[in-house]
Amino acid sequence: MTDTREEKQSGAEGFAGFDPKSLESYLVKDPNTLALNLARALEHLGQGASEWIKAREQSGVADPAADPVTDLVKTLSQVAHYWVSDPKRTLDAQSLLFSSYIGIWTRTLSQFTGQPVPEVEELPKDKRFADEDWTRNPFFAFLRQVYHVTASWAEKLVAEAEGLDEHTRHKAAFYVKQMTAALSPANFALTNPEVYRQTVASSGTNLVAGMRMLAEDIAAGGGDLRLRHTDLTKFKVGENLATTPGKVIAQSDLCEVIQYDPSTETVLKRPLLIVPPWINKFYILDLTPQKSFIKWCVDQGHTVFVISWVNPDQRHAARDWEAYIEEGVEFALDTVEKATGETKVNAIGYCVGGTLLAAALALHAQRKDSRIASATFFTTQVDFTQAGDLKVFVDEEQLEAIERQMHKSGYLDGSRMANAFNMLRASELIWPYVVNNYLMGKEPPPFDLLYWNADSTRMAAANHAFYLRNCYLDNALSKGEMKLGGQVISLKDVKIPVYNLATREDHIAPPRSVFKGSSLFGGRVEFVLSGSGHIAGVVNPPDKQKYQYWTNGRPQGDFDGWMKKARETKGSWWPHWDAWVKKRADERVAARKPGGDALNAIGDAPGTYVLERV
């Protein structure tokens, strides 16, 4: 290991000299009130702890293999073994860290005397350390430097440990990032200057409010922390979310099919069917009217149908991928034909809904079923070689533990997937909210997207196990080894036009992974890359003029080569996709009412399945 941290002399641009007057905001002015409020905060914390203990007493002994902490300890112990098995390696690792600490301590002493001091290195830009006292105050500046140096050192230990297989190294790097994110001094009241000043100024009322919210969130999670990201009282599905007018025109045990009211006098002859993911709910594509992809499509003249998946429970335990295809995709296609008389549709699949749609298309090719004339995929993986950090949670041992857990209940609780997704971006989706909610005592502001994110769904046991094993673990779909309906299916048989959208900052379906999957289809693929991430890159209305997208025709070669020649266009990709669809079929007919003459409306959109919360 070599230390690349070279001291960069920056003179007056380094740490400013220490001003003792800045300590005034840290002095306790009302110790009695502060002590009383700290006692009240501890009382609320105790209530939360009671909820946590009660849940574990009622649920019995948990499967230790299903506990992520068990896997973390097992994984990191392999890294530790490499470094401690050789005394010289141990000494080198320790010397590197301690030499960095000595340099930090020397600069801190100089800063206490009021001298301007240079930084060891350009510390990474980090929103957690935006408060000026992370630089101005020697104590907090010391903590910040030690934290960054230690975090970098720990990541280097993983990167340079020899003898680890690729999966173990990936897990170790992921777990180290989770640990360093959790142990940031910004996450604790006594080591965060902003929280400390707020505690002194309010005599601890921020901690009282924060611990009350913590207790409420543990109770709301049934003994597990359900971290609040937004004010849940400000939104209601069907009232100010998912309000595009339409009707539920069919219902199966697994889904409802919604057809939306037309807003134009004529519509495209070829209908549009959307297959959303069953992880979370379909109304991510129908948030507020200003953000609704569904409403925008209706306004462009599409006759839009969407599948609204059931929130499964024990009754759906045996429903596997074949069931979701037959009782979901096939059922919806039959419904579209009954409602419109059309035998050709354009289809969209989002995320895992897109993976299911791709598998259904391969099955259709074998059955000579040509009802889907074009397919669009939003952030969809069909090859999972480069599937990103979610692969950390999928290996044989962890899958067996998940399957045992699902066998008992018939489903995987939605909180498990929600926590996994949040962990992918812990520094953005976990710890800032811990600080804001529980230390600062502030309610998070209302945000429709984060309300949807909190509206989690369960996963049917057979369906989820099939998905994890065949996609993440065995990558069977990409290899042409997935079996459905007693047949082995291949994406090479899918020869219809495909529009394949990836997003540049996607942590769930990384763009390289989506790009790689494009080559598996047997027909022409239009690959498009959008700015932002898994959600914001998709939900990007044209009138917002946010982000951008890149086009370069067919996804040939590797991703980096494609990007070098790609053309960047400011704004939303929605009009580009609309033009792509209409180029293939632009015939129009009179606007259609939901259900047509063949089907009666069961109820108003957004239906009933979407309303069930867990």
Side-chain angles (χ1 to χ4, degrees):
M1 296 174 64
T2 57
D3 188 2
T4 61
R5 299 183 182 87
E6 297 176 358
E7 192 162 293
K8 299 181 179 180
Q9 299 294 329
S10 56
E13 295 178 357
F15 289 117
F18 174 52
D19 180 6
K21 292 183 179 179
S22 65
L23 285 177
E24 293 180 3
S25 60
Y26 294 94
L27 298 178
V28 176
K29 300 173 179 62
D30 189 347
N32 292 333
T33 302
L34 176 61
L36 179 62
N37 283 331
L38 289 178
R40 293 171 60 196
L42 286 173
E43 182 180 355
H44 288 308
L45 180 61
Q47 293 169 354
S50 297
E51 291 287 343
W52 187 88
I53 293 171
K54 182 173 67 174
R56 278 138 190 83
E57 289 176 342
Q58 293 175 347
S59 62
V61 179
D63 183 351
D67 185 355
V69 176
T70 302
D71 190 61
L72 181 151
V73 172
K74 179 180 177 182
T75 301
L76 294 185
S77 66
Q78 296 182 56
V79 178
H81 179 265
Y82 171 79
W83 290 105
V84 302
S85 61
D86 184 329
K88 184 178 183 304
R89 280 200 295 263
T90 304
L91 180 61
D92 288 344
Q94 292 174 342
S95 298
L96 171 64
L97 183 62
F98 292 150
S99 64
S100 299
Y101 285 170
I102 291 172
I104 294 170
W105 180 246
T106 302
R107 283 182 299 280
T108 301
L109 291 178
S110 298
Q111 191 178 8
F112 265 116
T113 64
Q115 301 176 39
V117 294
E119 297 193 39
V120 177
E121 61 176 335
E122 292 293 338
L123 294 177
K125 292 182 179 179
D126 193 328
K127 292 185 290 186
R128 295 173 296 178
F129 303 103
D131 190 276
E132 64 179 7
D133 271 4
W134 287 112
T135 300
R136 184 182 63 181
N137 186 294
F139 172 71
F140 296 111
F142 174 80
L143 292 178
R144 178 193 176 201
Q145 292 175 85
V146 167
Y147 169 72
H148 279 303
V149 165
T150 307
S152 177
W153 174 80
E155 291 174 6
K156 186 175 292 187
L157 291 185
V158 173
E160 299 186 7
E162 298 178 3
L164 302 180
D165 61 83
E166 182 181 352
H167 182 59
T168 300
R169 190 182 303 279
H170 187 184
K171 288 200 298 182
F174 178 80
Y175 287 141
V176 164
K177 287 182 179 178
Q178 297 301 314
M179 291 176 63
T180 56
L183 295 174
S184 165
N187 299 337
F188 303 94
L190 294 180
T191 56
N192 182 320
E194 188 177 6
V195 175
Y196 193 102
R197 292 196 305 268
Q198 178 66 19
T199 301
V200 170
S202 69
S203 295
T205 57
N206 58 310
L207 297 179
V208 176
M211 293 304 102
R212 174 183 53 77
M213 281 193 281
L214 177 62
E216 292 172 352
D217 291 351
I218 293 175
D224 291 320
L225 178 62
R226 181 176 292 177
L227 182 63
R228 66 179 81 183
H229 290 98
T230 185
D231 185 348
L232 299 178
T233 66
K234 301 299 183 184
F235 301 101
K236 190 170 184 181
V237 176
E239 292 189 6
N240 57 1
L241 297 176
T243 60
T244 301
K247 301 291 183 183
V248 177
I249 60 171
Q251 185 183 79
S252 73
D253 193 41
L254 281 184
C255 74
E256 292 177 327
V257 180
I258 301 169
Q259 181 181 355
Y260 290 91
D261 296 343
S263 63
T264 54
E265 291 185 3
T266 63
V267 294
L268 291 169
K269 186 174 186 292
R270 186 178 291 175
L272 176 66
L273 172 63
I274 300 176
V275 183
W278 54 85
I279 300 171
N280 289 114
K281 298 178 179 178
F282 83 89
Y283 68 89
I284 186 58
L285 296 175
D286 189 28
L287 289 170
T288 62
Q290 296 76 25
K291 296 179 180 178
S292 173
F293 177 77
I294 289 174
K295 181 181 183 303
W296 185 86
C297 287
V298 169
D299 291 342
Q300 309 315 304
H302 294 275
T303 302
V304 180
F305 296 79
V306 69
I307 293 173
S308 175
W309 298 106
V310 73
N311 201 340
D313 54 30
Q314 297 91 335
R315 298 169 298 164
H316 305 93
R319 295 297 209 285
D320 57 11
W321 259 44
E322 287 186 35
Y324 271 70
I325 289 176
E326 297 298 333
E327 299 176 48
V329 178
E330 302 294 340
F331 176 71
L333 287 170
D334 291 341
T335 301
V336 172
E337 185 173 351
K338 291 176 183 177
T340 66
E342 297 296 327
T343 58
K344 297 288 187 180
V345 306
N346 298 312
I348 293 176
Y350 192 172
C351 189
V352 66
T355 311
L356 182 77
L357 176 62
L361 287 170
L363 193 59
H364 280 193
Q366 291 198 357
R367 295 174 175 175
K368 308 302 181 184
D369 184 338
S370 59
R371 286 179 292 176
I372 298 178
S374 77
T376 297
F377 297 107
F378 296 164
T379 62
T380 293
Q381 296 180 101
V382 292
D383 183 294
F384 289 77
T385 308
Q386 299 173 309
D389 284 342
L390 277 177
K391 292 186 73 173
V392 166
F393 304 104
V394 184
D395 52 40
E396 187 61 44
E397 185 177 5
Q398 291 184 87
L399 264 184
E400 288 180 358
I402 292 173
E403 288 171 345
R404 286 195 298 270
Q405 191 176 64
M406 291 193 297
H407 180 73
K408 296 177 183 177
S409 60
Y411 57 84
L412 182 71
D413 191 80
S415 64
R416 288 288 301 272
M417 288 300 297
N419 290 339
F421 289 141
N422 287 341
M423 286 174 69
L424 298 183
R425 297 170 59 194
S427 293
E428 298 174 44
L429 291 177
I430 296 179
W431 299 110
Y433 291 92
V434 169
V435 173
N436 179 81
N437 300 359
Y438 308 138
L439 298 184
M440 298 297 287
K442 298 178 181 179
E443 288 274 2
F447 188 15
D448 52 7
L449 195 153
L450 290 178
Y451 176 90
W452 167 84
N453 189 58
D455 193 3
S456 59
T457 57
R458 297 177 286 264
M459 273 64 71
N463 181 45
H464 198 55
F466 184 94
Y467 173 54
L468 293 179
R469 283 197 172 277
N470 281 268
C471 295
Y472 276 94
L473 186 63
D474 297 332
N475 205 14
L477 183 58
S478 73
K479 296 175 181 177
E481 298 174 356
M482 181 179 283
K483 291 183 179 180
L484 288 173
Q487 304 176 58
V488 178
I489 61 171
S490 172
L491 293 176
K492 287 297 182 186
D493 296 334
V494 179
K495 301 186 184 299
I496 62 173
V498 168
Y499 187 100
N500 203 14
L501 178 81
T503 56
R504 185 174 56 175
E505 300 167 16
D506 199 330
H507 293 74
I508 297 170
R512 294 177 187 277
S513 180
V514 178
F515 183 91
K516 182 176 175 61
S518 297
S519 64
L520 299 177
F521 296 101
R524 186 181 180 94
V525 177
E526 177 86 5
F527 181 79
V528 177
L529 181 70
S530 170
S532 196
H534 193 73
I535 302 301
V538 174
V539 184
N540 182 22
D543 61 352
K544 297 293 184 183
Q545 287 297 304
K546 293 181 68 176
Y547 311 125
Q548 68 279 88
Y549 65 95
W550 291 264
T551 54
N552 186 16
R554 295 185 181 187
Q556 298 175 329
D558 60 21
F559 177 74
D560 292 330
W562 184 92
M563 276 298 298
K564 287 179 181 178
K565 298 180 180 179
R567 181 168 64 91
E568 180 179 345
T569 303
K570 299 296 184 183
S572 173
W573 56 269
W574 291 9
H576 181 268
W577 166 82
D578 186 54
W580 182 89
V581 171
K582 290 176 179 176
K583 182 179 180 181
R584 282 149 184 80
D586 61 356
E587 184 181 351
R588 300 179 79 94
V589 297
R592 307 172 172 115
K593 69 174 183 178
D597 296 327
L599 299 173
N600 294 320
I602 297 173
D604 293 330
T608 58
Y609 283 0
V610 74
L611 300 179
E612 183 183 351
R613 295 182 65 87
V614 297

